[in-house]
Amino acid sequence: MELDGLLKWLFETALASSIRENDLLFPLIESIHVLAVTVFLGSIVWVDLRILGLANNDRGLRRFAKELLPITWSMFVFAVLTGAALFASNAVNYAHNLYFQLKILLLILAGMNMMVFQMWFSARAEAYDPAHAARLNAVQQDEMGKIRHKLHQISFFWSGKWSALLSVLIWITVIALGRWIGFSIQPTFAG
Ligand code: HEM
């Protein structure tokens, strides 16, 4: 009940009203949302493919991800701001829409998956560095290092590849849900 009051307040703000009342604003903001989402997800999936060993294998993961990070974060901010503006224009209906609820839930899950990967595997980051294997071969006595490296190469779970696969699956679902909201919601321009 309290949440509905808050949503109604959001719906009645000047920004939400102008998005509803202007024919061009909603499609314009949604286009920016989609563009931001495209670049944001492009950068994430690129890193996921690197983790899965399907692209850019000649590059160290830590450096590769660091180079893409400014694009990922700036586009994420754009996606959230434009998403929030679209949401405000029809807040009560979006909040009660199952596909919207699932989308937000999956966004949280995607964030948690990233955090787990970061924490669990930051200690193993060198295994994703192509120079590391060469170093290990040069140093005869580091048998444990070699075993760990072999494990990284053959184990889907040890290497964190499960996290990258989960990430790709979550983001594909978020995109599908984002589209589905539009098909299932009472339109913003109902009146
Ligand atoms: C950052 C990850 C996000 C992704 C991948 C994503 C994806 C999408 C996609 C694919 C669409 C459909 C666009 C179309 O119909 O052509 C969409 C629409 C939308 N998104 Fe997002 N979105 C994200 C974040 C957010 C956030 C954080 C919010 C809310 C705070 C949000 C709210 C909306 C709303 C309200 C729509 C319009 C649905 C409609 O057509 O009525 N999005 N999003």
Side-chain angles (χ1 to χ4, degrees), residues 30 33-34 37 40 83-84 86-87 94 103 107 174-175 178-179 182:
E30 190 161 30
H33 187 63
V34 171
V37 160
F40 163 70
L86 296 173
F87 175 81
Y94 280 128
K103 176 176 156 175
L107 285 180
V174 169
I175 298 279
R179 274 272 52 208

